[in-house]
Amino acid sequence: MNITNQTSIEYRSLKALRLHLAVLLRAGKTGFRADDVWKDLPWKRFRGHVFRLQRCIFKAQKEQSKAKVKRLQRLLLQSRAAQALAVKQVTQLNTGRKSPGVDGKTALSTKERLVLCQRLNKHWHHWKHQQLRRVNIPKPNGKTRGLGIPTIADRAWQALLKLAAEPAYEATAGKRSYGFRPGRCTADAQKLIFDNLKSNTKSKDKLILETDISKCFDEIDHQVMLRKVVLPIEALRGLKRAVKAGVRGEYPSSIKGTPQGGVISPLLANIALDGFENLGTNQRKRSRTLIRGIRYADDAVFICKPEADTKRLREDIDKFLESSGLRINETKTKVSKATDGFDFLGWHFRVNSRGVFKSTPSSENYADIKAKVKATQELWCNHGSSPEKD
């Protein structure tokens, strides 16, 4: 599909949405409700138009046509269909949609959503990102993790940028990276681990290098990260302002890292760590790779054959992370035998003495499951013993 055909398709989408917005502006005179206008928007058509644009971006990036990629991304960023979908994503679909930013807003009315669509259409290319609100959530080890929560409007703008940046990243992303990517989940990573540790692969002699990156989201170098992002220059400038917005009450601006809590933060972390799972593939024996890496966001494991040099692999990991301003967490990084077992993504993987692969929930995950079952049982018992109301 060429640019001309794509433009005509997008024009039909723009015309449809502009008609609905015009109806909204006349709502006070005609008596139409904003709720009905938002509900009746052609969402299925919008998703189809955005997907076709994303598919064109993906193909252009595969062909390494940078100019074409940027033109298509501008088309998507200017698209009212994409803008409406971005607003709907952060106000109605996301799990944390009710988390307030520094403006204190936890939700938007239907009319405010449509006004935000108009604001995105006018100002996406010179968006002024507000500071973040700090929220601390507990971690399993008793410590806390600091989240930076943007406002709803800023989250919508980030979602719009993500629609344009994600297909360009997916075109060149590593095949063994599974975290926060469309169409991929933890079960895919579990399947790949099984394929590399099943009984016919001589798995009982293999070694496992477990890695954990220390404060990955907080320490990523801005320049290195933004250099890898594929976006038009005006969107890239806005993204730079966003990652440097800082947290209100703590510091005026950020010099490194991408805040956990932003819509686009997982994508930025994936872009910065792209290629991490491919480390060690240069170690070969008879044209066969001795090391296979599997990454989920900032967590990764490397499955090594007995002939592999794990010290050399560790040096490669340190060099890769140092170039992005990151470092390894020494307490959680270790080399172990496949027969000793290891935890990854809430599962415990182990190869027994006969070479049979086993996968069971990890001890922490198992304890969480038991607690949830117990809470459900108590809820049902209390509900059954409570007197019925007339």
Side-chain angles (χ1 to χ4, degrees):
M1 183 180 296
N2 58 36
I3 299 289
T4 305
N5 293 340
Q6 187 61 57
T7 305
S8 62
I9 289 173
E10 190 57 36
Y11 172 74
R12 293 198 294 271
S13 172
L14 291 174
K15 186 176 180 180
L17 185 52
R18 282 170 182 161
L19 177 61
H20 284 284
L21 291 176
V23 171
L24 175 66
L25 295 176
R26 296 195 301 267
K29 298 179 181 180
T30 60
F32 290 166
R33 294 178 55 199
D35 291 343
D36 295 335
V37 175
W38 180 261
K39 182 180 178 181
D40 292 339
L41 287 175
W43 296 109
K44 187 175 181 179
R45 284 183 58 195
F46 287 174
R47 286 191 289 270
H49 292 316
V50 170
F51 177 74
R52 280 191 287 271
L53 267 176
Q54 288 181 318
R55 186 173 58 185
C56 291
I57 293 170
F58 181 90
K59 290 181 178 179
Q61 183 67 13
K62 279 282 190 183
E63 297 167 359
Q64 298 182 353
S65 178
K66 295 182 179 179
K68 188 177 180 181
V69 169
K70 301 294 177 63
R71 287 198 300 270
L72 289 166
Q73 285 180 324
R74 284 191 180 92
L75 275 177
L76 193 147
L77 292 168
Q78 294 167 0
S79 163
R80 287 188 180 265
Q83 292 156 9
L85 288 172
V87 172
K88 184 175 183 179
Q89 183 69 37
V90 301
T91 58
Q92 294 181 280
L93 302 180
N94 282 357
T95 305
R97 58 186 177 274
K98 294 185 179 180
S99 302
V102 293
D103 59 357
K105 288 187 177 181
T106 58
L108 297 182
S109 66
T110 308
K111 191 168 185 178
E112 287 174 328
R113 291 176 201 155
L114 285 153
V115 171
L116 180 55
C117 287
Q118 291 178 312
R119 185 182 166 195
L120 285 174
N121 185 256
K122 292 180 180 179
H123 306 295
W124 70 265
H125 52 287
H126 52 81
W127 190 266
K128 303 296 183 183
H129 202 285
Q130 292 183 268
Q131 287 190 310
L132 310 174
R133 185 177 72 91
R134 174 66 76 202
V135 175
N136 293 312
I137 60 173
K139 296 173 67 175
N141 59 6
K143 298 180 181 179
T144 59
R145 175 185 286 112
L147 302 182
I149 308 298
T151 64
I152 294 177
D154 290 335
R155 295 204 293 268
W157 177 79
Q158 289 185 18
L160 179 62
L161 257 62
K162 184 181 177 184
L163 289 174
E166 194 168 54
Y169 163 70
E170 287 293 328
T172 58
K175 295 181 179 179
R176 297 192 303 276
S177 169
Y178 296 95
F180 305 109
R181 292 182 61 185
R184 294 180 173 229
C185 63
T186 55
D188 298 318
Q190 186 182 21
K191 174 65 166 56
L192 186 57
I193 292 174
F194 167 75
D195 289 339
N196 284 273
L197 291 179
K198 56 187 177 182
S199 56
N200 62 351
T201 61
K202 300 180 181 179
S203 53
K204 64 180 181 180
D205 298 326
K206 291 183 178 180
L207 300 175
I208 309 297
L209 174 60
E210 304 173 57
T211 65
D212 183 77
I213 302 173
S214 179
K215 298 180 180 180
C216 176
F217 284 85
D218 299 331
E219 300 291 335
I220 296 176
D221 185 86
H222 284 170
Q223 293 184 353
V224 175
M225 177 179 66
L226 293 174
R227 216 167 28 236
K228 296 180 179 180
V229 178
V230 180
L231 276 174
I233 185 63
E234 55 269 38
L236 205 56
R237 288 171 182 166
L239 184 60
K240 183 177 181 180
R241 290 193 294 268
V243 297
K244 291 186 175 295
V247 178
R248 176 170 289 186
E250 293 187 14
Y251 42 85
S253 65
S254 174
I255 58 174
K256 57 184 178 180
T258 175
Q260 296 187 62
V263 176
I264 203 171
S265 296
L267 175 61
L268 294 179
N270 267 335
I271 291 173
L273 293 175
D274 187 43
F276 182 74
E277 66 280 359
N278 296 326
L279 296 175
T281 53
N282 56 346
Q283 295 191 35
R284 293 175 174 271
K285 183 179 180 180
R286 296 177 183 174
S287 73
R288 292 186 178 182
T289 304
L290 299 178
I291 298 174
R292 184 62 60 88
I294 302 162
R295 180 173 68 86
Y296 191 95
D298 58 338
D299 293 327
V301 293
F302 292 86
I303 301 174
C304 309
K305 293 183 179 180
E307 303 89 348
D309 188 350
T310 55
K311 291 184 178 179
R312 180 181 163 192
L313 173 62
R314 178 58 195 275
E315 291 175 358
D316 293 340
I317 290 173
D318 290 336
K319 289 179 182 178
F320 181 92
L321 295 179
E322 186 179 357
S323 65
S324 300
L326 301 171
R327 57 188 176 84
I328 211 75
N329 187 341
E330 298 290 347
T331 58
K332 295 183 179 181
T333 301
K334 60 181 180 180
V335 178
S336 59
K337 296 181 180 179
T339 51
D340 294 335
F342 63 97
D343 291 345
F344 187 59
L345 302 177
W347 292 86
H348 181 75
F349 302 101
R350 188 175 70 88
V351 177
N352 64 18
S353 57
R354 294 177 299 169
V356 178
F357 173 82
K358 290 188 176 182
S359 174
T360 56
S362 64
S363 55
E364 293 180 358
N365 203 10
Y366 185 69
D368 291 340
I369 294 171
K370 286 180 64 178
K372 289 179 182 178
V373 172
K374 186 176 180 181
T376 304
Q377 288 177 336
E378 291 176 354
L379 180 64
W380 278 102
C381 291
N382 294 337
H383 179 73
S385 61
S386 60
E388 295 183 358
K389 294 183 180 180
D390 296 332

